[in-house]
Amino acid sequence: MQEYLVNLEALMPRLTEAAINIAMALAILIIGWWISSLLGAWVRRAATRSPRIDATIVPMFHSVVVWAVRIFTVIAVLARFGVQTASLIAVLGAAGLAVGLALQNTLQNIAAGIMLLILRPLRTGEYVALSSGAEGTVEEVGLFLCRLVQVDGIHITLPNSVVWGATITNYSRNVTRRLDIPVTIHYSDDLNGALENLAKVAAAHPMVLKDPAPLIKVSEYTDTGTVINVRIWCAAAQYWDLRWDMFHQIRQALAASGFKAPIPVREIQGQPKDASAA
């Protein structure tokens, strides 16, 4: 019994030191995690409020800050237990190289995400269409993925490499957009009168810009009638509202002026019946 107490007394300093190390390590880990979350929230809030920082870069910047602090926290915890952090960093570097070779596609997505944030062919809130077929409003450009929201509310998640490798059509980058509306006029109706009516409708609409001025010209002939192209400019944010309203108003204005609907007309000719054959 006395030998057991002697051994226990000899182990007490070590147990005390281990308990202190564990407590300090837990304190460092908790404080580090708390500081990382606090810094991440502060960075996100400051970046969101600043007009000079694009909202597209905020999620990635937030992630980099948070995980940088957490990695240093883990290294500090390991150092508390006597782990040689220099050798650990070397091992992590070698492991990172091996993982990088194994995850080439993932690193390609990271590189593509960095290029998207530097060159910024798309930004948060802009409506884009990709040559791959996906389109929608940009919600986030992350470290690995881009998220788009379609007009029907469906979320699309794409790897950054797919977005970077596609042709990007950005419908929101310019302040103004051009709208072309084809209007078919029956061949029996007054073409000059139709041009005047369409010019009045375009000039009276409040969303139509005066500069560039509306352009109403005959563009082609079809089986149903003469096609007049109504070319107008508007603010990019009002494009679809103007398009729907113009289709409505043009039909009403032409009908009120007595213009016929461009219904397809077919002329059928037949041979007269030979009386001698009867």
Side-chain angles (χ1 to χ4, degrees), residues 183-186 189 224-226 251 260-265:
V183 181
T184 304
I185 303 299
H186 200 279
D189 285 333
T224 58
T226 304
R251 185 71 197 109
K260 303 183 186 71
I263 301 173
V265 177

Side-chain angles (χ1 to χ4, degrees), residues 45 130 147 168 176 200 208 222:
R45 184 167 58 253
L130 307 179
R147 289 199 295 134
I168 302 173
T176 59
K200 290 178 182 178
V208 176
T222 65

Side-chain angles (χ1 to χ4, degrees), residues 200-210 233-235 238 242 245-246 249:
K200 290 178 182 178
V201 173
H205 203 287
M207 295 183 188
V208 176
L209 299 179
K210 306 302 179 184
W233 288 81
C234 66
Q238 297 176 334
L242 178 60
D245 202 24
M246 284 296 292
Q249 290 192 18

Side-chain angles (χ1 to χ4, degrees), residues 1-13:
M1 183 66 180
Q2 186 176 1
E3 184 179 356
Y4 173 76
L5 292 175
V6 170
N7 291 334
L8 183 60
E9 184 177 357
L11 286 174
M12 282 301 295

